Amino acid sequence: MKKTFQEIKSEVEYLGYHFLSEHLNKSKVRMVEFMDKDGYLYVSALKNLRKHKPYFVGVSNPHSLKNISRWLELNGKKFRLCKNNIYNGSEKKLFFKCSDRKCLEIFDATWDAILAGNNCPFCSGHRVGRKN
């Protein structure tokens, strides 16, 4: 028996998320879009959501770049994600721009490296830039 829109919304909210929308994907699987308490966005099949917490960054999450930007903000990082990035996995490099007025350099790093605590390589003295 198919669940109604209200039943899906209630189940997502029961699991602790804020329901945003639902749609069918290309394979005709019912997908739900939702947000967690920290403001990270997700898209998942409801049956998968019942089994495990989804990854806030991953190749299957179309909101990965927004979530990386949110993570940088929540964690007080002094750099921002540049526009025109494409997320192709945690080991692929992304481009960031340092927000420190003394630096403002653009650098590349993997999401794994950022998550592990790496910061702007120019500010930390690991690369030579225009201002250091």
Side-chain angles (χ1 to χ4, degrees):
M1 184 166 118
K2 284 189 174 183
K3 290 186 178 260
T4 66
F5 177 86
Q6 189 58 46
E7 288 171 327
I8 292 171
K9 182 177 186 232
S10 294
E11 186 167 349
V12 169
E13 290 177 353
Y14 174 78
L15 293 169
Y17 300 103
H18 176 70
F19 177 84
L20 299 173
S21 67
E22 60 121 354
H23 64 275
L24 292 176
N25 68 8
K26 292 177 185 175
S27 302
K28 305 290 186 213
V29 174
R30 229 166 162 180
M31 305 297 286
V32 291
E33 189 168 6
F34 53 97
M35 181 172 39
D36 69 14
K37 64 180 176 47
D38 294 318
Y40 296 118
L41 300 168
Y42 305 86
V43 175
S44 176
L46 188 58
K47 64 181 179 180
N48 294 339
L49 182 57
R50 289 185 201 118
K51 294 177 186 176
H52 58 82
K53 182 179 184 339
Y55 297 112
F56 75 100
V57 174
V59 291
S60 63
N61 186 347
H63 300 295
S64 289
L65 293 173
K66 289 178 193 171
N67 289 343
I68 289 172
S69 291
R70 179 77 178 141
W71 186 91
L72 295 172
E73 179 185 324
L74 290 175
N75 288 277
K77 294 296 183 176
K78 294 186 178 183
F79 49 90
R80 299 290 167 245
L81 198 58
C82 293
K83 294 179 181 176
N84 300 325
N85 273 301
I86 297 172
Y87 186 80
N88 287 321
S90 61
E91 298 173 2
K92 303 291 183 185
K93 292 196 174 186
L94 298 168
F95 292 94
F96 299 88
K97 183 170 184 174
C98 184
S99 302
D100 187 320
R101 293 175 64 197
K102 295 178 185 173
C103 180
L104 302 174
E105 294 283 351
I106 293 176
F107 64 95
D108 61 354
T110 64
W111 170 237
D112 279 350
I114 298 300
L115 203 52
N118 289 8
N119 288 304
C120 172
F122 298 99
C123 291
S124 57
H126 296 293
R127 286 194 202 166
V128 177
R130 295 174 296 212
K131 298 181 180 181
N132 65 344

